[in-house]
Amino acid sequence: MLQNERYNQIYDLVKERGTVTVHYLQNQLHASEATIRRDLKAMEDRGLIKRIWGGAMLPTVEKDIPPIVRMRLNNEKKEKIASIAANLITSGTTMFIDSSTTCLALVPCLAALKNVTVVTNNLKLSKMLEEQTSVSTILVGGQIHDGYILTGYAAIQAVKMYHTDILFFSCSNISVAGITSIDAKVAAVCREMLRHADKKVLLCDTSKVGKASLLRVAELDDPDYVIMDSVPDDTALVNALGDRLITRPEQLLTR
């Protein structure tokens, strides 16, 4: 059995029973104790389960923060990140911007630019662009989610119609395990945007570092740049990102 298949089966069993023992997983998966313990360690590192004495349980349920609250969190960090990211945008640029509240901070940076086109699934962003800039905005269709995000099959199919110079996106969490989200609908549209942009730029404040959510949005090596407000304390992540980690505008100007 492949490793990812074991992970899926273990997760399903933990979800079904609430808690499981290593011995129970051995019998169900026909795997050795050492293999099960390694799998549980790897899954805990990704935030999928929580190890307990002799077994595993589901982690504390991670709840999304309401949109109106997210829009007010870490505003200074978001503004700093956006001001750095703005150095990647020039007149004539085409871009995807995802539904994250972090990306809303980009709007003031676009006000002075001409012939810029933004494709987005973010109703709030499209309204801000209309009111504050001369950007040409393309809003993909779809089911309204969380009051301002367009998701689902229609949104994904609409994204496939476009190809842009750059994608700006964010996430729920980032760690050496990858770039993750707690929202399946949001993650699905963002993954499609990643497939149709020449350059991928993750905007992520340091409060999201060192944790992993259930749903993978991207691999750690997918973004061309990861722009943060400061260098995080997570040495392993900093080393993994290398010179793709950007915390100062001059780093972009020299690349």
Side-chain angles (χ1 to χ4, degrees):
M1 183 184 297
L2 296 175
Q3 188 179 65
N4 284 340
E5 292 177 357
R6 288 200 309 275
Y7 290 175
N8 289 335
Q9 290 197 26
I10 290 171
Y11 183 77
D12 288 342
L13 289 169
V14 175
K15 187 175 180 180
E16 176 186 334
R17 297 173 65 91
T19 60
V20 294
T21 64
V22 171
H23 181 68
Y24 174 80
L25 292 173
Q26 284 181 254
N27 291 336
Q28 294 297 309
L29 276 66
H30 307 289
S32 69
E33 178 180 350
T35 296
I36 295 298
R37 291 191 182 278
R38 281 197 302 270
D39 287 348
L40 294 180
K41 172 66 167 60
M43 292 176 70
E44 184 177 52
D45 289 343
R46 297 184 182 185
L48 301 175
I49 56 96
K50 179 178 176 60
R51 287 186 297 166
I52 57 175
W53 183 260
M57 62 180 287
L58 286 179
T60 303
V61 177
E62 185 177 14
K63 295 182 179 179
D64 199 3
I65 301 170
I68 192 169
V69 177
R70 287 203 305 271
M71 290 176 189
R72 296 172 182 168
L73 287 176
N74 301 314
N75 280 341
E76 289 186 6
K77 292 182 177 182
K78 291 174 182 177
E79 288 168 6
K80 180 181 179 182
I81 290 167
S83 69
I84 297 171
N87 290 280
L88 294 168
I89 309 169
T90 58
S91 293
T93 300
T94 61
M95 68 191 86
F96 284 117
I97 300 181
D98 83 342
S99 60
S100 64
T101 57
T102 300
C103 288
L104 295 177
L106 284 169
V107 173
C109 304
L110 302 177
L113 297 176
K114 305 295 183 184
N115 302 318
V116 170
T117 300
V118 171
V119 183
T120 186
N121 64 326
N122 188 327
L123 286 166
K124 176 70 173 176
L125 178 73
S126 67
K127 188 172 187 296
M128 290 172 65
L129 290 172
E130 178 68 22
E131 294 173 347
Q132 301 177 37
T133 75
S134 60
V135 165
S136 174
T137 306
I138 298 171
L139 188 63
V140 303
Q143 180 181 5
I144 297 178
H145 173 61
D146 259 358
Y148 72 103
I149 305 170
L150 294 164
T151 62
Y153 177 80
I156 291 172
Q157 292 303 114
V159 168
K160 291 179 180 179
M161 295 173 60
Y162 303 98
H163 189 93
T164 67
D165 298 320
I166 192 166
L167 160 66
F168 293 105
F169 71 110
S170 192
C171 60
S172 298
N173 292 303
I174 181 172
S175 69
V176 290
I179 299 163
T180 54
S181 172
I182 63 176
D183 193 316
K185 293 179 178 180
V186 168
V189 178
C190 189
R191 278 195 294 267
E192 195 61 42
M193 289 180 173
L194 282 159
R195 297 186 181 101
H196 300 281
D198 290 332
K199 187 175 292 182
K200 295 89 172 175
V201 182
L202 178 68
L203 309 183
C204 177
D205 71 72
T206 48
S207 70
K208 300 176 179 180
V209 169
K211 296 172 280 188
S213 301
L214 177 61
L215 300 160
R216 188 179 300 278
V217 177
E219 302 297 334
L220 201 59
D221 59 357
D222 283 338
D224 296 281
Y225 301 111
V226 176
I227 302 180
M228 293 188 177
D229 52 284
S230 62
V231 177
D233 294 332
D234 190 328
T235 304
L237 179 63
V238 172
N239 291 337
L241 292 174
D243 62 2
R244 293 180 298 131
L245 174 61
I246 306 295
T247 58
R248 304 185 314 277
E250 55 266 31
Q251 291 175 277
L252 290 174
L253 300 176
T254 58
R255 293 195 63 180

